[in-house]
Amino acid sequence: MGKRDDLIAQYADDLKNKCGMTPDMDLLTKVTIGCGPSIYNADASTVASSQPGELETVKNSFLIKKLGLADGPELTEAINKVVETYGKPERNKYRAVVYYMLTKHFGKESVYG
């Protein structure tokens, strides 16, 4: 297996064991590929959920630009819900896992069709 496959397996494990979800592996793979090279960078591969600027980036770059959602309070609420599901004390919230959960939350799987 390649490095990306190892990372996808790690993300699937987080979804199962930390978030209580059974991942759709096809969608998880597409979301991971969509994250691009950031998944290989220790800092960029995670979401610093305690930093408001980082959450704004998730909202603007992913929810609005990538998923095509309109800005509104429900975007921030969804991000907060995902962070809560992942576990606030969990230091390493992988970007691909957060994006996967947000994609599922908004029913935007078709973006990765």
Side-chain angles (χ1 to χ4, degrees):
M1 285 195 344
K3 181 134 175 72
R4 185 173 71 202
D5 292 332
D6 293 343
L7 289 169
I8 291 168
Q10 171 69 52
Y11 302 154
D13 185 67
D14 271 20
L15 283 163
K16 284 182 207 147
N17 298 315
K18 295 178 182 172
C19 305
M21 308 172 96
T22 302
D24 170 340
M25 292 307 291
D26 187 48
L27 179 63
L28 181 58
T29 300
K30 289 175 180 174
V31 170
T32 301
I33 291 168
C35 288
S38 71
I39 62 170
Y40 304 109
N41 178 299
D43 187 47
S45 68
T46 58
V47 172
S49 59
S50 61
Q51 296 177 359
E54 175 78 2
L55 300 181
E56 275 298 306
T57 299
V58 170
K59 184 173 90 169
N60 293 322
S61 297
F62 183 70
L63 294 177
I64 295 171
K65 286 183 183 155
K66 177 74 179 174
L67 297 187
L69 299 167
D71 195 1
E74 64 281 354
L75 301 187
T76 302
E77 289 166 18
I79 293 168
N80 290 335
K81 183 178 176 209
V82 163
V83 166
E84 198 67 46
T85 300
Y86 212 141
K88 277 198 192 268
E90 180 58 44
R91 282 198 41 157
N92 292 323
K93 292 179 186 70
Y94 291 107
R95 186 170 304 280
V97 174
V98 170
Y99 286 8
Y100 172 89
M101 289 195 286
L102 287 167
T103 301
K104 293 291 266 184
H105 175 85
F106 287 107
K108 288 293 204 168
E109 294 89 342
S110 62
V111 168
Y112 291 97

